[in-house]
């Protein structure tokens, strides 16, 4: 291309206005020049974000063909007209289906048979995508509800025990404030009942006379559980429980046997349950184990030999948690005097994440060797010497995820989900009586997907302190370990959340361009048990960041990745990780995509009035009261540690209505990065003006969001073209040469 024909470089926007604002804590004063952007109602803020979006469009405009190609590949590989495997509840089979060209799912049901043959009665009806379903009743069509609205998301669905009423809640702004409505499924009409400003989670009482829901306070913390009696004014809704500790999160569920309302209060370090007997609601709430005991636990009522008990999943003298059986009357005694029977003992190598119940079995969720697994234990003989050993469904892949999808209390089967990096999602029914697995569905990948064209394997990267960091490495099978390959490294690393193996149609678009996709299971996540989490939180948080950098160094040193062709991606707390590694080792990354990034963490957590801030103290520490936490966080919080170095190209992606990570954090960060960097790589801010924490709503919109992020990364690392297996070597070398030339020619 001639110089005359070259497209001119987009003009960098006028720098953001700087207005000094002081923040002083523990004798330290930080001057924040961009905090004026916090005022969402300020027209200057909207104008600034709009201007930045225009610049982002200009800088990344040449990536549009690649974005279109990735979007098309996702669409072409996806069975757009599809449905979930029906799940039975009482007299109905419930399922969701999608239709080609439509953004949202349609919630449906068909009547179930009752023949007396358990096998037949619990075999889901065969429903073929795209074909009419005899007797189908559409309960809720998300496409119709979303018409004319800038955003649409469901916050909860619940059906009465007799199947006559549906409760649902919808958000039309992306701010996670939902409106609760009740629908008569016989007539299709909405009841007059309408409850605004509810949070996630809905449940009907067993008799269907009332619906339970949660409410958030001004800082977006769920703090109330309320009950709405159908047919009564919303103003009369009763507060069943209110939690006033600003550091505690409140939620609820109806117990598996439908006998109790279980209200859970807690955070990552300890919890408390308040229980309401739904047969005797006037008796009030009963506390099981007080938060004062500092035990982190979950509880589920169960009747054993005719006696009311609770199954506790807890960390009492058990860092990785264990399961105990406790008679209900024991909770009236001091903790030291209570009799607890061990059901699943503590194991340093196995993390017990929780349990569910059917009428006959306990279903356990455990993690061993990083892998999430399901175990099943009969209730018969529970807590006695005759107790059975847990059984575990057997799968033949090294890296997989197996989860409980549904355990209807009276069902002779439980529904399991299964997936891996190479296996599209499967749905199994596990027969409780004999342990057999019945495959109900494997998600179809269109276009001739062949899993043998790819490899998924576990590698271990040494951290500076000698800790081995597990990596999940997915790559095209044809790639050669010659140091020329492009790579995308992804991680999260907070809240004990594990990045489990899972199939991704979108990821195939990266793999087919010769890119190695690596998930770094850094400390702060839950992949290696509770200790792994504790080694990456509070005053050990920096391990999360250095682990990611060490994992990147390992990929280069192992010969799998070209040091000039690595992009990093992370979102939310993983976006904080992206900001931290950008400051820590900017030279190691050709590009960084920070999705809804928590990059101004110290400012946010210092203000308990901001959404969810006080709840963060148990993850990061409390910098308001603890000067050591303040000092430690100030050393890594990304916005306050931007320095004069050559930063890689960076995309900060956010949403104007996000209530979890406010748009102001990436907006300020980008302004400071652009002012401070000594390099010439573009640093852009992309704001979805109608989205929430997850971006825009609707599946096609989400696919376009993913395509945007992936195109930004792939373009930076010189991997924009699909690579056929018969020309992989030459294409890889050519792309590597071009990317390396770009790096050498760039002033950065």
């Amino acid at each position: 291309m001639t110089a005359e024909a070259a497209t001119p470089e987009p003009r960098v926007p006028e720098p953001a206005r700087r207005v000094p604002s002081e923040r002083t804590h523990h004798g330290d004063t930080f001057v924040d020049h961009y905090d004026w952007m916090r005022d969402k109602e300020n027209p200057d803020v909207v104008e600034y974000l709009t201007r930045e979006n225009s610049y982002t469009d200009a800088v990344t405009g040449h990536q549009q063909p690649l974005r279109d190609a990735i979007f098309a590949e996702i669409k072409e590989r996806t069975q757009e007209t599809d449905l979930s495997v029906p799940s039975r509840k009482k007299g109905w089979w419930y399922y969701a289906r999608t239709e080609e060209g439509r953004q949202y799912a349609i919630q449906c049901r068909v009547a179930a048979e009752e023949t007396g043959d358990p096998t037949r009665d619990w075999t889901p009806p065969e429903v073929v995508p795209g074909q009419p379903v005899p007797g189908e009743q559409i309960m809720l069509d998300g496409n119709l509800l979303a018409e004319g609205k800038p955003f649409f998301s469901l916050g909860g669905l619940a059906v009465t025990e007799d199947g006559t009423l549906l409760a649902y809640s919808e958000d039309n702004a992306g701010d996670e404030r939902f409106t609760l409505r009740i629908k008569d499924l016989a007539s299709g009409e909405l009841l007059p009942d309408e409850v605004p400003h509810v949070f996630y989670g809905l449940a009907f009482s067993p008799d269907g006379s009332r619906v339970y829901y949660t409410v958030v306070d001004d800082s977006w913390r769920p703090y109330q559980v309320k009950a709405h009696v159908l047919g009564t004014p919303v103003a009369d809704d009763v507060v069943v429980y209110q939690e006033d500790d600003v550091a505690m999160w409140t939620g609820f569920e109806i117990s598996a046997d439908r006998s109790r309302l279980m209200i859970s209060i807690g955070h990552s370090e300890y919890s408390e349950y308040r229980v309401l007997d739904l047969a005797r609601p006037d008796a009030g709430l009963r506390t099981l184990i007080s938060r004062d005991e500092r035990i982190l636990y979950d509880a589920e009522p169960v009747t054993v030999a005719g006696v009311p008990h609770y199954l506790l999943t807890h960390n009492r003298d058990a860092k990785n948690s264990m399961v105990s059986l406790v008679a209900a009357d024991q909770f009236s005694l001091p903790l030291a005097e209570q009799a607890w029977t061990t059901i699943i003992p503590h194991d340093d190598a196995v993390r017990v994440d929780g349990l569910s119940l059917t009428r006959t079995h306990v279903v356990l969720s455990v993690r061993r060797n990083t892998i999430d697994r399901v175990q099943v234990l009969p209730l018969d003989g529970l807590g006695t010497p005759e107790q059975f050993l847990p059984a575990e469904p057997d799968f033949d892949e090294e890296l997989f995820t197996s989860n409980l999808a549904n355990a209807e209390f009276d069902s002779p089967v439980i529904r399991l989900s299964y997936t891996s990096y190479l296996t599209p999602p499967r749905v199994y029914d596990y027969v409780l009586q004999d342990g057999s697995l019945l495959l109900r569905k494997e998600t179809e990948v269109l276009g001739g997907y062949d899993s043998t064209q790819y490899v998924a394997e576990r590698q271990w990267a040494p951290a500076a302190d000698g800790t081995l960091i597990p990596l999940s490495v997915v790559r095209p099978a044809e790639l050669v370990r010659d140091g020329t390959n492009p790579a995308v490294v992804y991680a999260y690393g907070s809240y004990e959340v594990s990045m489990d193996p899972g199939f991704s149609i979108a990821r195939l678009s990266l793999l087919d361009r010769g890119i190695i996709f690596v998930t770094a299971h850094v400390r702060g996540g839950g992949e290696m048990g509770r200790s792994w989490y504790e080694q990456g939180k509070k005053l050990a948080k920096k391990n999360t960041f250095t682990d990611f950098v060490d994992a990147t160094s390992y990929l280069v040193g192992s010969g799998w990745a070209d040091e000039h062709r690595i992009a990093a991606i992370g979102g939310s707390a993983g976006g904080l990780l992206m900001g931290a590694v950008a400051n820590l080792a900017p030279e190691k990354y050709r590009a960084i995509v920070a999705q809804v990034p928590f990059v101004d963490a110290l400012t946010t957590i210092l203000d308990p009035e901001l959404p969810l801030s006080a709840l963060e103290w148990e993850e990061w520490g409390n910098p308001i009261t603890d000067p050591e936490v303040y000092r430690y966080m100030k050393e890594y919080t990304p916005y306050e540690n931007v320095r004069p170095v050559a930063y890689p190209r960076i995309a900060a992606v956010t949403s104007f209505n996000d209530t979890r990570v406010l748009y102001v954090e990436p907006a300020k960060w980008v302004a400071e990065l652009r002012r401070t960097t000594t390099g010439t790589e573009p640093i852009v801010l992309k704001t979805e003006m109608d989205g929430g924490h997850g971006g825009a709503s609707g599946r096609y919109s989400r696919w376009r969001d993913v395509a945007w992020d992936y195109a930004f990364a792939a373009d930076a690392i010189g991997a924009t073209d699909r690579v056929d297996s018969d020309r992989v070597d030459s294409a890889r070398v050519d792309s590597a040469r071009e990317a390396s030339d770009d790096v050498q020619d760039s002033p950065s």
Side-chain angles (χ1 to χ4, degrees):
M1 179 179 291
T2 65
E4 290 76 17
T7 302
E9 286 292 318
R11 182 177 178 181
V12 178
E14 180 182 344
R17 176 163 51 92
R18 287 164 58 81
V19 180
S21 173
E22 292 188 354
R23 184 201 71 204
T24 300
H25 287 271
H26 306 295
D28 174 74
T29 297
F30 171 65
V31 180
D32 189 343
H33 289 92
Y34 300 114
D35 207 53
W36 64 269
M37 297 181 186
R38 189 175 302 280
D39 183 3
K40 194 174 182 181
E41 303 302 319
N42 186 344
D44 290 347
V45 173
V46 176
E47 191 275 334
Y48 170 76
L49 297 177
T50 302
R51 188 173 72 235
E52 285 293 322
N53 276 346
S54 296
Y55 174 64
T56 298
D57 290 343
V59 167
T60 65
H62 68 284
Q63 297 168 14
Q64 189 61 48
L66 179 56
R67 294 197 288 260
D68 291 342
I70 294 174
F71 174 82
E73 290 162 16
I74 297 172
K75 192 171 184 291
E76 290 163 2
R77 284 170 163 149
T78 300
Q79 179 71 54
E80 295 182 69
T81 298
D82 202 1
L83 47 83
S84 61
V85 178
S87 295
R88 183 166 178 174
K89 179 180 179 181
K90 301 298 180 180
W92 296 87
W93 289 99
Y94 294 88
Y95 58 96
R97 59 180 176 83
T98 56
E99 295 180 353
E100 184 174 357
R102 308 185 79 186
Q103 290 264 34
Y104 301 97
I106 304 167
Q107 308 294 330
C108 308
R109 68 178 184 177
V110 294
E113 291 186 321
E114 197 66 63
T115 67
D117 179 352
T119 300
R120 179 176 177 181
D121 291 346
W122 287 91
T123 299
E126 185 175 356
V127 184
V128 180
Q131 295 187 12
V133 180
E136 179 184 82
Q137 180 182 7
I138 294 177
M139 300 189 299
L140 210 63
D141 187 336
N143 303 285
L144 296 179
L145 289 175
E147 283 184 1
K149 299 170 184 174
F151 185 91
F152 173 76
S153 176
L154 288 175
L157 290 170
V159 180
T160 52
E161 293 285 290
D162 62 8
T164 60
L165 299 176
L166 169 72
Y168 69 95
S169 60
E170 64 173 304
D171 168 17
N172 298 130
D175 61 1
E176 298 179 274
R177 286 189 183 274
F178 300 88
T179 298
L180 166 63
R181 296 183 173 91
I182 312 292
K183 184 176 183 179
D184 185 321
L185 291 176
S187 67
E189 299 297 320
L190 291 176
L191 301 187
D193 307 73
E194 184 174 297
V195 185
H197 307 309
V198 307
F199 196 55
Y200 294 100
L202 303 171
F204 277 107
S205 60
D207 64 2
S209 66
R210 66 192 65 204
V211 61
Y212 296 99
Y213 61 93
T214 54
V215 177
V216 297
D217 63 13
D218 291 339
S219 68
W220 228 259
R221 175 183 66 95
Y223 81 117
Q224 286 182 336
V225 177
K226 300 183 77 171
H228 172 72
V229 177
L230 273 60
T232 66
V234 173
D236 294 342
D237 287 4
V238 174
V239 176
V240 180
Y241 178 77
Q242 177 170 313
E243 175 55 50
D244 294 323
D245 186 334
V246 296
M248 303 289 273
W249 184 287
T250 304
F252 74 90
E253 61 182 11
I254 303 294
S255 62
D257 64 5
R258 312 296 292 170
S259 69
R260 304 286 192 275
L261 176 70
M262 307 292 296
I263 299 176
S264 58
I265 310 106
H267 49 54
S268 65
E269 298 191 350
Y270 55 86
S271 58
E272 178 178 278
Y273 269 81
R274 305 287 179 96
V275 180
L276 181 69
D277 185 343
L278 294 173
R280 299 185 304 115
D282 293 340
L285 295 172
R286 179 189 185 190
T287 301
L288 297 186
I289 304 168
S290 167
R291 69 190 72 184
D292 295 336
E293 302 293 351
R294 295 302 192 259
I295 296 174
L296 185 64
Y297 71 101
D298 289 320
E300 184 69 38
V302 60
T303 300
V304 177
V307 178
H309 285 72
Y310 283 87
L311 279 168
L312 303 181
T313 304
H314 65 90
N315 70 345
R316 184 186 183 193
D317 301 320
K319 182 180 287 289
N320 270 342
S321 293
M322 59 187 291
V323 179
S324 297
L325 181 67
V326 184
D329 60 9
Q330 292 293 300
F331 294 112
S332 61
L333 301 174
L335 180 64
E337 299 176 18
Q338 295 175 15
W340 292 24
T341 301
T342 297
I343 301 301
I344 302 295
H346 179 257
D347 187 332
D348 286 334
V350 179
R351 177 76 163 106
V352 182
D353 288 325
L355 61 84
S356 298
L357 280 179
T358 74
R359 189 176 295 279
T360 59
H361 287 75
V362 182
V363 185
L364 300 162
S365 174
V366 303
R367 185 177 300 277
R368 185 174 67 249
N369 295 330
T370 78
I371 300 301
D372 204 13
R373 308 161 188 267
V374 172
Q375 295 182 343
V376 180
L377 181 66
L379 284 174
D380 186 29
L382 194 71
T384 73
E386 288 73 39
Q387 176 180 309
F388 290 85
L389 293 174
E392 184 176 304
D394 187 30
F395 301 104
D396 59 4
E397 292 184 88
E398 176 192 10
L399 304 178
F400 67 88
T401 301
S402 176
N403 287 321
L404 176 68
N406 183 48
E408 185 64 22
F409 189 65
D410 291 313
S411 174
V413 301
I414 56 173
R415 178 69 50 81
L416 302 181
S417 63
Y418 175 89
T419 187
S420 77
Y421 291 113
L422 304 182
T423 302
R426 292 175 179 170
V427 175
Y428 289 98
D429 277 346
Y430 178 90
V431 181
L432 293 169
Q433 184 177 12
D434 60 15
S436 59
L437 280 173
L438 304 174
L439 179 62
R440 299 303 190 191
K441 180 180 181 178
E442 178 171 327
T443 300
E444 185 177 5
V445 181
L446 305 181
Y449 168 71
D450 180 0
S451 64
T452 64
Q453 294 180 4
Y454 310 95
V455 173
E457 59 191 4
R458 171 59 39 80
Q459 297 182 25
W460 298 87
D465 63 3
T467 301
L468 293 178
I469 309 155
L471 309 180
S472 295
V473 181
V474 189
R475 58 179 173 82
E478 298 290 334
L479 283 194
V480 179
R481 186 172 168 176
D482 60 3
T484 68
N485 299 307
V488 167
V489 188
Y490 170 82
Y492 185 74
S494 292
Y495 304 105
E496 202 178 1
V497 173
S498 299
M499 297 294 102
D500 291 324
F503 188 78
S504 167
I505 284 179
R507 188 172 55 227
L508 295 177
S509 292
L510 295 182
L511 299 176
D512 289 350
R513 286 167 173 79
I515 297 172
I516 297 175
F517 192 97
V518 180
T519 301
H521 304 287
V522 295
R523 281 174 282 187
E527 289 90 343
M528 299 286 284
R530 183 71 179 186
S531 293
W532 196 251
Y533 168 50
E534 293 175 345
Q535 291 173 39
K537 67 179 294 193
K538 291 190 174 180
L539 295 179
K541 188 61 199 173
K542 292 178 186 177
N543 284 334
T544 303
F545 316 138
T546 56
D547 281 0
F548 190 88
V549 174
D550 290 339
T552 304
S553 299
Y554 167 82
L555 289 173
V556 173
S558 68
W560 275 115
D562 182 338
E563 63 178 335
H564 299 303
R565 306 183 70 195
I566 298 176
I569 298 179
S572 197
L576 183 152
L577 169 60
M578 294 299 100
V581 301
N583 291 331
L584 192 62
E587 74 283 354
K588 289 187 177 291
Y589 304 97
R590 183 68 170 150
I592 292 176
V593 179
Q595 303 156 324
V596 290
F598 188 37
V599 284
D600 193 19
L602 184 53
T603 299
T604 295
I605 297 174
L606 282 167
D607 187 352
E609 299 301 317
L610 289 177
L612 305 179
S613 289
L615 294 171
E616 300 289 349
W617 295 338
E618 297 306 321
E619 180 70 20
W620 316 94
N622 187 344
I624 299 173
T625 60
D626 191 332
E628 178 67 6
V629 170
Y630 178 90
R631 177 200 61 79
Y632 188 80
M633 290 192 69
K634 189 174 176 62
E635 290 175 354
Y636 71 70
T637 192
Y639 174 56
E640 296 183 34
N641 285 281
V642 173
R643 57 194 178 96
V645 296
Y647 282 93
R649 65 188 69 174
I650 293 174
V653 181
T654 187
S655 293
F656 192 50
N657 293 324
D658 191 347
T659 57
R660 294 173 181 265
V661 179
L662 301 183
Y663 71 89
V664 67
E665 297 203 24
K668 291 164 58 174
W669 181 53
V670 166
E672 185 64 16
L673 281 169
R674 201 179 290 153
R675 188 186 73 87
T676 308
T677 183
T678 62
T680 60
E681 292 288 353
I683 298 171
V684 300
L685 174 68
K686 175 176 177 281
T687 305
E688 172 58 58
M689 300 305 289
D690 292 317
H693 193 59
S697 64
R699 57 176 177 165
Y700 297 110
S701 299
R702 287 194 296 271
W703 294 351
R704 291 201 181 277
D705 286 346
V706 171
W708 196 99
D709 295 350
Y710 280 4
F712 187 90
D715 176 63
I717 58 180
T720 59
D721 297 329
R722 291 170 62 94
V723 180
D724 297 330
S725 59
D726 60 353
R727 59 184 180 89
V728 65
D729 291 333
S730 61
R732 180 179 60 247
V733 172
D734 290 344
S735 293
R737 185 179 299 117
E738 291 171 6
S740 296
D741 289 345
D742 286 346
V743 171
Q744 293 163 8
D745 293 343
S746 171
S748 65

